[in-house]
Amino acid sequence: MRCPFCGSDETQVKDSRPAEDNSSIRRRRICPDCGGRFTTFERVQLRELMVLKKTGRKAPFDRDKLVRSFKIALRKRPVDAERIERAVSGIVRRLESSGETEISSEEIGLQVLEALKTLDDVAFVRYASVYRDFSHAEDFENVISEINAKISRDSTAD
């Protein structure tokens, strides 16, 4: 691993431990040349996933982009970072274990919507407004009606 401070290729691992719900390994490293300390994370990647965009273009799957999407939808909402990480890890695990190497952006978007529905209603509406390309106030009303119907179904099931 290259040192981010001096660029040396000779860094040493000082500590390793599981991180993020045991889906990755956190490593503390030190550079013997400059003494700089930094942290890296290793994650198992089952297969190289490609995202098939609406335009037909293909792009490598980017886990960080998925995390950013969650964080944007959940901005200023009371949801723990750990819950976000579990949701993202779950989506990535499902995508990697699907057996497909090309996943449509629509499929990823649907999985994000499902995850946000369980995390936070406001974030769900925010994401849905972009994902479903809302253009009128009625679009918001329809999604809020869906949420209210779900809430009433859940409360009668208890």
Side-chain angles (χ1 to χ4, degrees):
M1 176 63 59
R2 184 181 304 269
C3 174
F5 305 110
C6 71
S8 172
D9 287 328
E10 302 298 321
T11 61
Q12 299 170 344
V13 175
K14 289 298 181 188
D15 179 47
S16 291
R17 64 181 62 173
E20 301 172 8
D21 207 16
N22 291 324
S23 65
S24 66
I25 296 174
R26 176 184 182 268
R27 298 197 193 279
R28 287 291 299 152
R29 296 180 180 265
I30 187 167
C31 176
D33 294 341
C34 72
R37 295 174 178 264
F38 59 99
T39 302
T40 60
F41 290 89
E42 287 182 25
R43 194 179 316 285
V44 172
Q45 184 174 351
L46 297 176
R47 63 176 38 98
E48 187 71 29
L49 294 175
M50 295 298 285
V51 178
L52 187 58
K53 306 283 189 172
K54 290 179 184 177
T55 62
R57 192 175 60 85
K58 295 178 186 177
F61 176 77
D62 184 355
R63 187 182 199 283
D64 293 334
K65 187 174 179 181
L66 188 60
V67 170
R68 282 192 305 274
S69 295
F70 271 86
K71 287 184 176 180
I72 290 168
L74 288 160
R75 184 178 292 139
K76 296 185 180 183
R77 300 298 303 154
V79 177
D80 295 340
E82 183 179 309
R83 290 182 67 204
I84 297 170
E85 184 56 40
R86 275 197 309 264
V88 169
S89 292
I91 290 171
V92 172
R93 228 180 352 265
R94 283 190 298 278
L95 294 174
E96 288 180 337
S97 63
S98 72
E100 300 292 325
T101 55
E102 290 183 359
I103 309 289
S104 71
S105 58
E106 290 86 9
E107 174 60 29
I108 297 170
L110 286 173
Q111 290 199 29
V112 171
L113 273 174
E114 286 301 313
L116 286 172
K117 193 181 288 188
T118 63
L119 288 176
D120 187 83
D121 289 339
V122 172
F124 171 76
V125 172
R126 285 177 179 167
Y127 190 85
S129 70
V130 174
Y131 178 75
R132 294 181 183 171
D133 196 23
F134 288 4
S135 56
H136 302 292
E138 296 83 32
D139 298 331
F140 286 95
E141 290 172 0
N142 293 336
V143 169
I144 292 170
S145 297
E146 282 178 38
I147 293 169
N148 288 335
K150 178 190 173 290
I151 291 170
S152 64
R153 281 193 309 270
D154 291 347
S155 65
T156 57
D158 291 339

